[in-house]
Amino acid sequence: MSDIYADFKEQPGDDPDDVLFNTLYGVRTIQLNRPKKYNALNGSMIRKIIPRLKEYQKSALASIIIIGGAGPKAFCAGGDVSQLAKDIAENGETGQATSKSYFGLEYKLDHLIATYPKPYIAYLDGITMGGGVGLSVHAPIRIATENTNFAMPETGIGFFPDVGGSFFLPRLEGFLGTYLALTSESLKGVQALYAGVATHYIDSSVLSNLTARLAELVFKDYDNLHTRLRIIDHTIEEFNTGLPHDEPPHLAGNLRLAIDYCFHYDTVEQIVSALEKERDSPKAPSQIKEWAKKTLEKLGEKSPTSLKVTLRQMRLGARWNTAETFNREYHIAAKFMRHPDFVNGVSARLIHKPAMKARWEPDTLERVSNDDVENFFKIDEGEDSLDLLTQGLDYDRYPFEQDLGLPREEHVEEVVKAKALGRKRIISTMVEAKERKIGVSEKVEEILGRRAGIDGEGKVVWKNLSET
């Protein structure tokens, strides 16, 4: 074996069956196989997946990689942080070092996925949280089903949205990523598609048929990754059974405007103040007042340190490329392993049965200073860096985002400003441009309803945020 496999050899205690690999013509499937643990990711699983991905990368016979989870409930509910917290509580600095090594291993896998040179598809069929997000959101093709339950719950356990959350979340539209990061709000089913977390939506009942159909694809030797992904994109659309008729975009209209307004601030205190104003405003719709009240309650349950570090992470991560993202998160994770909130939060929320309220240290936002926050982003002298497995393929924006996902707000704005068209023509133009992809009409309709108006001639005009 080459040196690249040195950290991924089987260790005593590794379960030989916690990941299952299968071959179907040109498709290679990876199935997370801990259904009783909601397929929670651990070191044993990572040590199996990385060498296989490297093997598939070199093999001319492996054309498409598909990752999914065993059982009916979860793709992957996260990393096995309960074990990490127990190790720290029992072994102190030794446990902290072990946990840091685990996160280094996990981030190497996530970065490998983010820069993988072959089509990599994630089936988000079930709970997709924490470590499961790292295995999926950096894939060029991410398929949601009616069972999808996506969230980043880290601020509630004294941690931060890692696994590349610094990259993925700030690049969602508006300040949606900041909202999801701070509140741990979940996106269920088709809402993951509308929010940009998923690129496709199909019914879970046809996933096995889709896998079989993808196995039939034969690419030309000279087809580049972009061409291959487009072929796969068209193939997935063959399994389109329509969107749920009773589930329009939830984070839409006045609610989405309120999210972008409240969460655009650069301090948690300002965000809290904005939410309080919405809650108490006599002019705010009742839906928004109730949302603001519940959001304040959610934030009040989170670790104050996690909230402040996460908000800073969202702002800095918007400027990081993929390599810097995982290197930075490696150091931030190490700092959290030495902070009491991680053990306290995981113990209270995940280990203790029934779950109980965590005791945060410090226990208020006011007691978390700017220096405390900035310390998480300092790389101490002598600290090791993350030895990533892929070099030279990093980027600042997801390279296939515009081709494979639903239109983003900026794309709709470009069409509106470039063409003097009515509402129906704008929608039909974008639907045709996306080759009638499922969800385009609903997404464009929502964006126009929130960000556009109609002039005296019946043409769509784009509105500045101050006008909405």
Side-chain angles (χ1 to χ4, degrees):
M1 280 191 177
S2 63
D3 290 341
I4 202 160
Y5 295 100
D7 294 336
F8 314 120
K9 294 180 180 178
E10 183 177 350
Q11 295 186 4
D14 281 2
D15 182 347
D17 298 318
D18 51 15
V19 185
L20 304 179
F21 302 92
N22 195 21
T23 296
L24 185 61
Y25 300 108
V27 163
R28 301 294 182 268
T29 61
I30 301 171
Q31 185 179 52
L32 311 179
N33 190 40
R34 300 178 72 204
K36 292 182 179 179
K37 293 283 188 179
Y38 298 98
N39 298 318
L41 187 67
N42 60 22
S44 169
M45 300 163 82
I46 297 170
R47 284 188 286 272
K48 293 179 180 66
I49 296 171
I50 288 178
R52 287 293 185 133
L53 285 177
K54 299 301 290 185
E55 173 190 326
Y56 298 157
Q57 182 177 333
K58 295 176 182 177
S59 171
L61 300 178
S63 299
I64 299 171
I65 290 79
I66 300 174
I67 189 167
K73 295 182 178 180
F75 164 59
C76 175
D80 199 351
V81 293
S82 295
Q83 185 57 50
L84 301 182
K86 289 177 183 177
D87 200 9
I88 293 172
E90 294 172 2
N91 300 307
E93 291 186 4
T94 302
Q96 293 170 7
T98 301
S99 298
K100 180 183 177 183
S101 297
Y102 166 78
F103 286 115
L105 198 64
E106 182 180 23
Y107 300 165
K108 287 181 182 182
L109 171 57
D110 295 337
H111 179 263
L112 176 61
I113 291 168
T115 55
Y116 204 65
K118 288 188 175 184
Y120 177 100
I121 302 170
Y123 289 169
L124 283 65
D125 187 33
I127 299 170
T128 304
M129 298 182 183
V133 173
L135 296 177
S136 58
V137 296
H138 309 296
I141 294 179
R142 310 175 298 276
I143 300 177
T145 74
E146 75 281 4
N147 301 319
T148 298
N149 185 0
F150 170 95
M152 293 295 280
E154 288 78 8
T155 56
I157 59 169
F159 199 44
F160 74 110
D162 63 332
V163 297
S166 308
F167 191 90
F168 180 75
L169 290 165
R171 287 164 178 80
L172 293 177
E173 293 173 276
F175 290 90
L176 184 57
T178 301
Y179 171 65
L180 296 175
L182 294 179
T183 66
S184 308
E185 180 72 13
S186 64
L187 298 170
K188 295 182 179 179
V190 72
Q191 302 306 321
L193 174 71
Y194 292 137
V197 169
T199 57
H200 299 76
Y201 177 88
I202 63 174
D203 193 273
S204 62
S205 63
V206 301
L207 285 176
S208 59
N209 291 336
L210 172 61
T211 300
R213 176 71 179 91
L214 292 172
E216 296 173 356
L217 298 180
V218 178
F219 302 122
K220 297 181 175 64
D221 290 343
Y222 55 79
D223 285 342
N224 59 24
L225 180 56
H226 179 273
T227 300
R228 296 178 185 214
L229 289 171
R230 292 286 290 176
I231 293 170
I232 293 170
D233 179 40
H234 293 155
T235 304
I236 295 171
E237 289 300 312
E238 295 175 13
F239 293 82
N240 168 14
T241 57
L243 298 178
H245 69 277
D246 56 347
E247 289 189 48
H250 289 172
L251 303 180
N254 287 333
L255 176 55
R256 175 57 193 284
L257 290 172
I259 289 172
D260 284 351
Y261 169 71
C262 292
F263 286 84
H264 86 277
Y265 290 104
D266 291 332
T267 71
V268 180
E269 289 87 348
Q270 287 175 307
I271 290 173
V272 168
S273 177
L275 287 165
E276 289 172 340
K277 289 179 181 177
E278 293 289 340
R279 179 196 62 191
D280 300 334
S281 171
K283 297 181 179 180
S286 58
Q287 174 206 16
I288 302 304
K289 291 166 71 75
E290 183 63 22
W291 166 79
K293 176 185 175 183
K294 290 183 177 179
T295 302
L296 285 165
E297 291 171 355
K298 287 181 182 179
L299 293 178
E301 298 170 352
K302 311 298 184 186
S303 157
T305 298
S306 292
L307 288 176
K308 288 200 168 185
V309 171
T310 296
L311 182 57
R312 185 68 176 144
Q313 171 201 4
M314 294 298 102
R315 300 300 179 257
L316 293 175
R319 304 194 294 268
W320 294 342
N321 69 12
T322 42
E324 186 172 8
T325 289
F326 289 104
N327 267 297
R328 290 282 189 165
E329 288 187 358
Y330 176 59
H331 293 289
I332 297 170
K335 298 281 180 70
F336 268 108
M337 294 305 97
R338 301 194 291 268
H339 194 282
D341 277 5
F342 178 73
V343 172
N344 291 344
V346 173
S347 298
R349 302 305 302 165
L350 301 180
I351 297 176
H352 191 276
K353 303 297 180 185
M356 57 188 288
K357 185 177 181 180
R359 297 178 60 183
W360 306 122
E361 302 176 36
D363 59 354
T364 64
L365 291 171
E366 293 73 24
R367 293 180 59 198
V368 183
S369 70
N370 290 337
D371 287 344
D372 292 335
V373 174
E374 290 305 317
N375 181 58
F376 279 86
F377 298 90
K378 292 179 181 176
I379 300 177
D380 298 328
E381 187 175 350
E383 280 283 314
D384 59 323
S385 61
L386 196 60
D387 187 16
L388 298 172
L389 303 176
T390 306
Q391 305 295 329
L393 295 176
D394 290 289
Y395 44 82
D396 299 309
R397 304 259 337 165
Y398 288 111
F400 307 107
E401 173 186 70
Q402 185 168 347
D403 290 333
L404 300 174
L406 295 185
R408 291 171 59 90
E409 201 166 291
E410 58 264 31
H411 304 148
V412 179
E413 180 182 3
E414 289 173 4
V415 173
V416 169
K417 290 183 174 180
K419 301 180 179 183
L421 299 174
R423 190 185 191 89
K424 289 184 178 179
R425 283 289 306 280
I426 290 287
I427 295 171
S428 63
T429 296
M430 299 206 71
V431 168
E432 292 303 320
K434 280 286 189 177
E435 299 176 303
R436 310 190 71 80
K437 182 182 179 69
I438 185 173
V440 173
S441 176
E442 291 82 356
K443 179 68 182 287
V444 176
E445 183 79 47
E446 187 282 316
I447 293 171
L448 291 177
R450 175 167 44 87
R451 293 301 312 274
I454 304 294
D455 66 13
E457 298 179 353
K459 308 299 184 185
V460 176
V461 292
W462 194 256
K463 295 190 292 187
N464 296 322
L465 280 174
S466 60
E467 301 174 286
T468 56

